[in-house]
Amino acid sequence: MVASMEYLERCAWFLRTTLVRAPVRRYLPWALLAFMLGGSLVKEFSPLPASYLSNKRNIFNVYFVKVAWGWTFILLLPFIALTNYHVTGKAGVVLRRLCTLLVGTAIWYVSTTVFLHVEHYTGSCYKSPALESIRKEYNSKEECRKGGGFWHGFDISGHSFLLTYCALVIVEEMAVLQEIKMDKNHSLHFTLTSLVVALGCLAYIWVWMFLCTAVYFHDLSQKVFGTLFGLVGWYGTYGFWYLKPFSPGLPPQGSSLNLKQDSYKK
C-alpha cells in the first residue's frame, strides 16, 4: 500500500511539473495547431501504414474520445470542488467555478449540433462511398443510412474540436495546483493525488488522440474548422469572459489578474 502511494505521488509530481505551468497554457494551443497541420500533411503526402490507432474501433476512440467531454466533466467536477474550496474556503466560489462545467457542456452541445446541421445541409445521399449516383429519395443522413446509402457532406471534425477543447480546459483548471501545498497526512491527500494523476493522464490521452486524428482521419479543412471551434470555445471563456467580474471566473491563483491577462496577450 505504501509503495503504491509513493508511485502515485511520483506520477502526480511528474504531471504537475509538466502540465501546471503558465508556458504550457500559453503554448499548448499553438502546439495543437502545429500537430493538426503537421499530421494533416503527413496524411496527405506520406500516409502512415494502417495500425491499431487508425481503426475507429480502437479502445481509446470507442471508450474515451467518443465521450471525451463526459470523462472531462466527471473528473473535473470533484477536482474543481475540492481544490477551489481548499484554496478559498468559500462555498460560493466553488459553486461559481463549477459553472464552468455547465458552460463547457453548452459549448459542446452547441458546437456538435452545428456540425450535424452543416453536414446535413451540405450533404447528399449516394449509393456507395465512391460517391456514384445520388439517391434523391433520401433527404437526411438517417434516412440515407437506413436505405443502405452513403451520406456525404462537409463533416467538421468533432474529434478535433472535442480533444482540443477538453485538453485546454483540463490544463487551465489544473493551474490551481500552484496554490496547493498539501501535507501527506491531510485527509484529502489521496483523493487529490488520484485526481491529479487521472486528469493529467487524460490530458495526455487527449493530445495523443488529437495527433492520431490529424494523421489518420478527416480532410484538412474539416480538421481546421474542428480545431478552430475548440480554440474559440477555450479562448472565448478562459481568455476573455472568465476575466470579467460577472463570470464563473478563473481558477484561484496567486498571480494577479493582470498577469493572467498578459500571459494570453503574449
Side-chain angles (χ1 to χ4, degrees):
M1 181 65 182
V2 175
S4 298
M5 190 61 202
E6 288 179 353
Y7 179 74
L8 193 67
E9 288 172 351
R10 284 199 296 270
C11 290
W13 175 85
F14 170 77
L15 292 166
R16 286 180 65 153
T17 55
T18 55
L19 294 176
V20 188
R21 291 182 177 183
V24 173
R25 298 195 299 280
R26 188 180 306 155
Y27 296 118
L28 181 58
W30 297 105
L32 292 173
L33 275 173
F35 289 162
M36 182 269 294
L37 292 173
S40 297
L41 290 175
V42 169
K43 179 179 183 293
E44 192 71 24
F45 298 108
S46 183
L48 297 179
S51 69
Y52 177 71
L53 291 174
S54 68
N55 185 338
K56 291 182 179 180
R57 300 301 301 170
N58 74 72
I59 190 171
F60 294 105
N61 192 54
V62 174
Y63 295 106
F64 286 91
V65 178
K66 286 186 178 294
V67 286
W69 180 245
W71 279 109
T72 304
F73 187 104
I74 288 170
L75 290 177
L76 279 180
L77 180 63
F79 178 81
I80 292 174
L82 293 174
T83 55
N84 284 251
Y85 187 77
H86 181 76
V87 173
T88 68
K90 298 177 181 179
V93 171
V94 173
L95 290 175
R96 189 182 71 176
R97 294 254 43 260
L98 285 174
C99 288
T100 58
L101 297 178
L102 298 180
V103 173
T105 301
I107 290 173
W108 161 75
Y109 179 79
V110 171
S111 297
T112 51
T113 300
V114 168
F115 297 169
L116 290 174
H117 281 299
V118 169
E119 187 182 13
H120 172 75
Y121 288 112
T122 60
S124 298
C125 186
Y126 294 87
K127 286 188 175 180
S128 72
L131 306 184
E132 298 170 348
S133 182
I134 294 179
R135 303 180 68 174
K136 294 183 178 179
E137 66 270 27
Y138 300 117
N139 297 313
S140 72
K141 189 174 182 178
E142 259 188 37
E143 292 177 356
C144 179
R145 285 184 170 178
K146 285 180 181 177
F150 176 81
W151 186 267
H152 179 73
F154 189 72
D155 181 18
I156 298 176
S157 176
H159 281 30
S160 295
F161 155 69
L162 260 182
L163 296 171
T164 298
Y165 184 67
C166 289
L168 291 171
V169 169
I170 289 174
V171 169
E172 288 286 355
E173 292 298 334
M174 288 183 76
V176 72
L177 294 173
Q178 294 175 339
E179 302 302 308
I180 296 178
K181 301 291 186 288
M182 188 173 291
D183 186 87
K184 291 185 178 182
N185 296 320
H186 196 284
S187 58
L188 292 178
H189 178 67
F190 174 76
T191 302
L192 281 180
T193 301
S194 300
L195 284 171
V196 169
V197 172
L199 278 169
C201 289
L202 200 62
Y204 275 107
I205 289 174
W206 293 161
V207 172
W208 173 245
M209 293 308 296
F210 177 86
L211 181 58
C212 289
T213 298
V215 170
Y216 290 116
F217 304 106
H218 287 283
D219 295 334
L220 174 60
S221 58
Q222 297 169 344
K223 285 177 284 195
V224 167
F225 276 97
T227 303
L228 288 178
F229 264 84
L231 291 174
V232 169
W234 158 75
Y235 188 80
T237 50
Y238 288 90
F240 181 73
W241 181 32
Y242 292 174
L243 300 174
K244 309 297 181 183
F246 299 103
S247 74
L250 293 166
Q253 296 173 58
S255 58
S256 68
L257 188 59
N258 288 334
L259 286 176
K260 177 66 175 178
Q261 290 173 321
D262 289 342
S263 73
Y264 281 108
K265 292 176 183 176
K266 291 180 181 179

